[in-house]
Each structure stands twice: as C-alpha cells, then as structure tokens.
C-alpha cells in the first residue's frame, strides 16, 4: 500500500515589517507650533488675568503720580509751575520709575512661568514626546511670549501716557506724543516688557522651579541694577548693561550729565542683546537637558 504524499501545511501570513506598518508623520511646521503655543497660552485663564491686573497696576502707579501733581499744583508756586512746564516734567509722569519696577517684575514672572509651568506638572515630557523638535518648539514659545508681552507693554505704556497727560492737561501741563522724547519713552517702556519676559523664560529654562525662577528674576532684573551705581567706572559700565538702567537712560528728560554718560543708541543695544541672548539660552537649555 502506497502512502499518499502529505501536502505542506499552509504557511501563516508573514507579519508586515515595521517600516510598512508605520507611516512616518511629517514634521510639524513652525507656524503650526506657533499656533499651538498661542492656543495653549490663550486657553489659560490665569494668562488673561495676569496681563489685565499687571496693566492696571502699572497704569495706576503712573496716573497716581500725575494726579498728585494735579492736586497740589497750586502749592508749587509760579516759579515751580514754570519750571515744571519748561523742563517737560509731564513726561516723567508718563511712565515713572515705580511703574517700571512693577512692569519688570510682572513681565519677568510671567515669562518664567511660561516655561516652568510645563516642567512643574510634567507636561514637558508629553509635549516633547509629541514634538521631538525641541528647538523649534521652544523657539515658537519664545516668539509667542515675546509678541504677547509686547502687546502688554504697549497697552500699559500707551494707556499710561494718554491718562497721565489728560490729567496734567487740566493744569495746562499735558504733552502730546509728538513732543520731543515722548515717543521714545512710550517705546522704551513698552519694549521693556518683552525684554524682561524673555529673561524670565531663560531663568525658568535653567532653574525649572517656580519660586526659584521668580526670585531669580527679582535678583537679576531688580536687585542687581540697584547694587550697581554710576559713580565708579566699572560699576557704571556694568549698570549700563542692565535693562533697568537702559530704560532709565531712554526715559531720562533734560540734560544727561552723569559721571560716565552714555547714548540712547547704547541703551537700545542693551535691549536687543538681552532679548536675543535670553532667547538663545531658553532654546539651548531645553535642547541640552533632559526633561
């Protein structure tokens, strides 16, 4: 009896290769990252409240100073009133030193929290897993924060100028935006916000703790400039390299004759160097450190 040949067992279908099973997703475009960061920032209620309250505080400091001059105008006497008008002291009320300190603190803290908020809740790991291009993602965040803070600074500076000059106009001491030096004060005060916010982002990317980052902003942006005087050459040079002293130079009215004078162009350069340097540090710190 002859045995029939056994037919070969049907072979199981081969598993698809990993390359054919998974379809490579195209990298996210930079404009998509910018739109995503803007959506994230806008969706947080705390962002709107922080910007609104910061603007109100800054404007209140400036208007309060202008109101004080309006209220006690008659007590200055004819000579004091004439000196106020001749030296265009109304521009000093447009954005005061106290208001600039509030602006620096608020902008720096908001910039730091824009970075620290992701690390504190562990969201950074999820975000970077979805978008491996860390540099592009952080660059988009830097751009969004800079634009938002520029609008915040412009709103605070523009509103302050309009309200303070309206109050002083009741005494005949109000000035228009076309007055020499007025536009420079408004621009310098408005751009101080994004410069400090970007500095806060850099500190947040390096320190990664909310309290530590905010304290770092206070130390770098406020305490350090207070410690640097302009009576000695070395400290004057160091002071001129800080955003606060750059703002003071741009907002100064009248003859500028400190022991070591410097130009408005140098102050604008300080603004630019701090903004660009802080942006570079923010992007580089996230690239080179694990989340």
């Amino acid at each position: 009896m002859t045995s029939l040949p056994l037919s070969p067992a049907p072979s199981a279908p081969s598993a698809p290769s990993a390359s054919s099973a998974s379809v490579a997703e195209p990298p996210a475009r930079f404009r998509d990252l910018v739109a995503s960061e803007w959506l994230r920032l806008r969706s947080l209620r705390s962002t709107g409240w922080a910007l609104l309250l910061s603007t109100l505080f800054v404007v209140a400091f400036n208007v309060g100073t202008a109101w004080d001059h309006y209220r006690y105008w008659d007590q200055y006497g004819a000579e004091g009133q004439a000196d106020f008008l001749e030296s265009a002291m109304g521009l000093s009320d447009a954005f005061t030193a106290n208001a600039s300190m509030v602006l620096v603190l608020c902008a720096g803290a908001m910039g730091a929290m824009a970075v620290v908020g992701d690390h504190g809740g562990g969201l950074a790991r999820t975000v970077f897993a979805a978008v491996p291009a860390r540099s592009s993602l952080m660059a988009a965040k830097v751009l969004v924060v800079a634009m938002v803070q520029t609008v915040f600074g412009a709103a605070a500076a523009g509103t302050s100028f309009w309200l303070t000059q309206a109050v002083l106009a009741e005494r005949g001491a109000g000035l228009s935006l076309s007055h020499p030096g007025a536009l420079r004060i408004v621009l310098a005060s408005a751009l101080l916000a994004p410069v400090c916010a970007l500095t806060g982002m850099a500190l947040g990317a390096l320190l990664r703790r909310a309290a530590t980052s905010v304290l770092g902003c206070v130390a770098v942006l406020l305490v350090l400039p207070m410690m640097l005087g302009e009576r000695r050459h070395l400290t004057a040079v160091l002071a001129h390299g800080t955003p606060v002293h750059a703002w003071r130079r741009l907002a100064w009215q009248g003859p500028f004759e400190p022991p070591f004078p410097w130009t408005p162009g140098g102050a604008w350069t300080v603004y630019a160097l701090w903004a660009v340097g802080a942006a570079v540090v923010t992007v580089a710190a996230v690239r080179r450190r694990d989340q």
Side-chain angles (χ1 to χ4, degrees):
M1 180 176 180
T2 60
S3 60
L4 297 176
L6 297 177
S7 59
S11 58
S14 59
S17 61
S19 60
S20 61
S22 61
V23 179
E25 296 183 358
R29 296 174 298 182
F30 184 73
R31 65 180 182 182
D32 295 331
L33 297 177
V34 172
S36 175
E37 289 298 324
W38 164 242
L39 181 61
R40 288 177 57 196
L41 188 65
R42 186 182 62 180
S43 61
L44 295 175
R45 292 184 179 180
S46 58
T47 301
W49 282 108
L51 292 171
L52 176 60
L53 292 177
S54 299
T55 303
L56 292 177
F57 280 128
V58 171
V59 173
F61 270 94
N62 295 321
V63 175
T65 303
W67 174 257
D68 184 77
H69 287 150
Y70 166 83
R71 183 179 181 182
Y72 298 102
W73 181 258
D74 294 334
Q75 299 183 12
Y76 296 150
E79 183 177 353
Q81 294 173 7
D83 184 67
F84 190 97
L85 297 174
E86 182 180 357
S87 58
M89 289 295 294
L91 293 182
S92 299
D93 292 353
F95 213 92
T96 63
N98 290 333
S100 70
M101 294 177 64
V102 175
L103 179 71
V104 167
L105 180 58
C106 293
M110 285 188 284
M113 293 306 299
V115 176
V116 174
D118 290 347
H119 295 289
L123 183 61
R125 295 185 179 90
T126 304
V127 173
F128 289 136
V131 184
R134 297 184 178 185
S135 298
S136 299
L137 183 62
M138 291 307 298
K141 185 185 291 289
V142 166
L143 180 60
V144 170
V145 171
M147 291 189 299
V148 170
Q149 289 295 320
T150 301
V151 174
F152 157 63
T159 305
S160 294
F161 183 86
W162 175 60
L163 290 178
T164 55
Q165 301 314 303
V167 171
L168 294 175
E170 297 297 323
R171 300 296 190 184
L175 301 172
S176 66
L177 193 60
S178 60
H179 190 278
L183 182 59
R184 188 178 70 187
I185 290 177
V186 174
L187 289 177
S189 303
L191 294 179
L192 183 62
V195 171
C196 294
L198 292 175
T199 303
M201 291 187 73
L203 292 172
L206 293 174
L207 302 177
R208 300 190 178 186
R209 295 291 185 274
T212 308
S213 299
V214 173
L215 288 176
C217 290
V218 174
V220 172
L221 295 173
L222 291 179
V223 177
L224 180 61
M226 292 179 183
M227 297 173 59
L228 298 173
E230 297 193 10
R231 295 182 178 274
R232 300 290 184 270
H233 182 265
L234 177 59
T235 57
V237 171
L238 295 176
H240 295 169
T242 62
V244 170
H245 281 269
W247 173 84
R248 291 176 181 174
R249 176 62 185 91
L250 294 170
W252 180 268
Q253 295 302 309
F256 191 79
E257 298 178 356
F260 304 97
W262 56 314
T263 64
W268 289 121
T269 303
V270 170
Y271 268 28
L273 291 178
W274 273 77
V276 174
V280 171
V281 170
T282 302
V283 175
V286 175
R287 284 190 60 185
R288 296 181 177 276
R289 297 178 63 182
D290 294 333
Q291 306 308 312

